[in-house]
Amino acid sequence: MLLSPWACQPQETRGRRYFEAAAPTRTEHQRDRDRIVHSSAFRRLVYKTQVFVNHEGDLFRTRLTHSLEVAQLGRSIARPLALNEDLVEAICLAHDLGHTPFGHAGQDELNACMQGLGGFEHNLQSLRVVDALEERYPQYDGINLTFETREGILKHCSRANALKLEAQEPGGVAARFLSGQQTSLEGQLANLADAIAYNAHDVDDGVRSGLISVEQLQAVPLFAHFHAQALMEYPQLAQPEADRRLLYETIRRMLSAQVYDVIGTTRQRIERAGVQSADEVRACGQRLVSFSPDMQAQSQALKHFLFHQLYRHVQVMQTMDAARQVVRELFDAYLQQPSMMKPRYALRAQQAGSAAAQARVVADFVAGMTDRYAAKEHERITGQRLLA
């Protein structure tokens, strides 16, 4: 497929941190995607929470299924815009590699544990996973991805963290957070596809769980509009036995509308910006992959609804409170007795030159756990079963 001038051209990659000869049958970004799919961190996503902890049901999304849905949406938008689909897919598949067990509750608690010791942020951890923590190659740590994929993985970064990364890699993936530049269109697209995906599948999972209802969702204009549209076209879906089909059809239409809105709006913004290369995209100072103002407002209304009605539901909060306790007590136990960690982490902790460095090893170990491994380890260490 011929890419647009403003796409990231595979043959013009800024390369890898450690030089490797080109592959005979794959572009550099295809290689990135394949390395991500074969990584241990990617496989662990199958047992990491999206909203509902793994034991709560077999059909709820996990970080793995979420990442696959983000990649599907990303490619669906990238192709009509003639962007680099392989790069979009690689970023989408890698964006949650650094996420903790138990979703955002786990991240927030691990960040609290690391206060004064460098903090913890899952997006930065995703970069750390692909740069340092994966152990697959004899020549280097990490999986040695291209600059463009690593740039897209680092969606946001505080100035303090950007300065640290810039000191380690001058002019690297954190430089834009200091200069005010943007990431590539592919990176911008992966970020927006993430938001579209989790809004849609959290509606599905929320209704499936019984914690939110279709009646409540009628207060959300984006949902209500397409729910009514689906019923008008398929009145038989009003029957109680067709409620799942009606929900799926509503979500499908919501997704399609958002995808087409992003495609149309982004085309307009690219044309107005007048960019002619990926570097001009980075330098233009504004995000070009975007919803229209109306769709942005509708998407935000849905996000607001989910935050208050699902993520802050008492049942979800009770589970997340238990999850926070698991993360906190695991962190404290390993910090006090690093030998309880797996041998390679125990050795790294032993060799750490400072309290902050030792705490970072513990954070790496806890962040890499799946939900069920964390719960099992917590029970082994404390004798408490907080999560079924």
Side-chain angles (χ1 to χ4, degrees):
M1 177 181 175
L2 184 65
L3 300 183
S4 64
W6 42 82
C8 285
Q9 312 296 323
Q11 70 277 12
E12 296 175 6
T13 176
R14 284 180 53 176
R16 305 178 187 277
R17 297 168 77 204
Y18 305 95
F19 173 78
E20 295 182 56
T25 60
R26 294 174 294 167
T27 70
E28 293 306 306
H29 300 129
Q30 287 172 336
R31 292 175 81 187
D32 282 357
R33 176 202 59 208
D34 296 347
R35 290 179 181 201
I36 291 160
V37 168
H38 288 283
S39 69
S40 300
F42 185 73
R43 292 196 300 277
R44 286 196 295 268
L45 295 179
V46 72
Y47 291 117
K48 289 197 176 190
T49 295
Q50 183 65 27
V51 174
F52 297 96
V53 178
N54 193 254
H55 69 266
E56 295 182 287
D58 291 339
L59 296 182
F60 294 128
R61 267 71 171 190
T62 66
R63 288 282 160 191
L64 180 63
T65 54
H66 162 70
S67 297
L68 294 173
E69 291 183 19
V70 175
Q72 181 270 315
L73 282 168
R75 294 196 73 140
S76 294
I77 297 171
R79 179 164 294 188
L81 292 173
L83 299 182
N84 185 332
E85 288 184 58
D86 297 317
L87 176 56
V88 169
E89 184 177 30
I91 297 168
C92 290
L93 292 176
H95 82 282
D96 268 351
L97 291 182
H99 224 301
T100 62
F102 312 121
H104 288 284
Q107 173 191 262
D108 292 346
E109 192 59 36
L110 198 50
N111 183 47
C113 291
M114 289 292 292
Q115 285 305 299
L117 298 165
F120 181 89
E121 204 283 314
H122 86 268
N123 183 239
L124 192 62
Q125 188 72 6
S126 294
L127 183 66
R128 184 167 167 78
V129 166
V130 300
D131 280 356
L133 298 182
E134 279 288 316
E135 298 177 331
R136 302 190 69 81
Y137 298 95
Q139 313 97 305
Y140 45 72
D141 291 331
I143 53 177
N144 200 30
L145 302 180
T146 62
F147 171 88
E148 295 78 22
T149 300
R150 296 172 60 242
E151 172 195 41
I153 290 171
L154 193 63
K155 296 190 298 184
H156 43 78
C157 186
S158 69
R159 182 172 180 81
N161 284 328
L163 287 168
K164 292 176 186 175
L165 290 173
E166 180 66 9
Q168 299 164 11
E169 183 187 2
V173 294
R176 77 178 191 272
F177 298 102
L178 303 174
S179 64
Q181 292 195 338
Q182 294 290 331
T183 187
S184 65
L185 290 174
E186 287 82 359
Q188 294 176 38
L189 172 52
N191 193 17
L192 190 52
D194 182 25
I196 296 172
Y198 69 65
N199 270 355
H201 61 50
D202 288 354
V203 167
D204 184 10
D205 284 353
V207 173
R208 180 184 295 278
S209 72
L211 300 188
I212 59 175
S213 67
V214 170
E215 289 70 32
Q216 286 176 295
L217 281 160
Q218 296 298 327
V220 180
L222 184 63
F223 182 90
H225 172 75
F226 290 108
H227 187 265
Q229 188 185 83
L231 274 176
M232 184 175 297
E233 188 169 345
Y234 300 103
Q236 69 272 24
L237 295 182
Q239 299 301 317
E241 63 271 16
D243 58 346
R244 293 302 302 175
R245 292 177 189 261
L246 177 56
L247 179 64
Y248 292 148
E249 181 63 15
T250 302
I251 293 171
R252 185 187 68 78
R253 291 171 184 242
M254 286 169 50
L255 283 170
S256 294
Q258 290 173 89
V259 165
Y260 298 143
D261 181 89
V262 171
I263 293 168
T265 302
T266 300
R267 281 177 174 153
Q268 293 174 3
R269 291 173 69 89
I270 290 171
E271 184 177 351
R272 286 200 300 267
V275 293
Q276 291 300 317
S277 70
D279 283 340
E280 288 185 15
V281 168
R282 295 183 175 98
C284 79
Q286 59 177 309
R287 286 192 173 273
L288 300 178
V289 180
S290 175
F291 285 129
S292 66
D294 177 62
M295 186 59 79
Q296 177 65 31
Q298 292 191 62
S299 176
Q300 281 297 116
L302 176 56
K303 185 176 181 178
H304 184 268
F305 170 88
L306 290 169
F307 179 83
H308 289 283
Q309 301 300 324
L310 181 59
Y311 311 145
R312 289 295 180 264
H313 190 284
V314 62
Q315 186 172 318
V316 173
M317 293 299 291
Q318 286 172 350
T319 302
M320 290 303 104
D321 285 345
R324 282 175 175 269
Q325 184 178 340
V326 168
V327 170
R328 162 68 68 174
E329 293 180 354
L330 283 175
F331 181 89
D332 289 344
Y334 295 137
L335 197 60
Q336 293 169 18
Q337 194 173 342
S339 61
M340 289 194 295
M341 294 188 290
K342 288 184 177 179
R344 68 178 184 274
Y345 284 93
L347 179 61
R348 283 179 52 205
Q350 182 184 345
Q351 295 173 340
S354 66
Q358 186 177 70
R360 182 60 60 190
V361 174
V362 174
D364 288 341
F365 184 53
V366 174
M369 292 180 172
T370 62
D371 292 6
R372 64 181 185 176
Y373 181 75
K376 186 177 178 180
E377 272 290 278
H378 181 267
E379 184 177 354
R380 179 182 69 84
I381 291 170
T382 68
Q384 303 177 71
R385 178 175 291 187
L386 296 182
L387 295 164

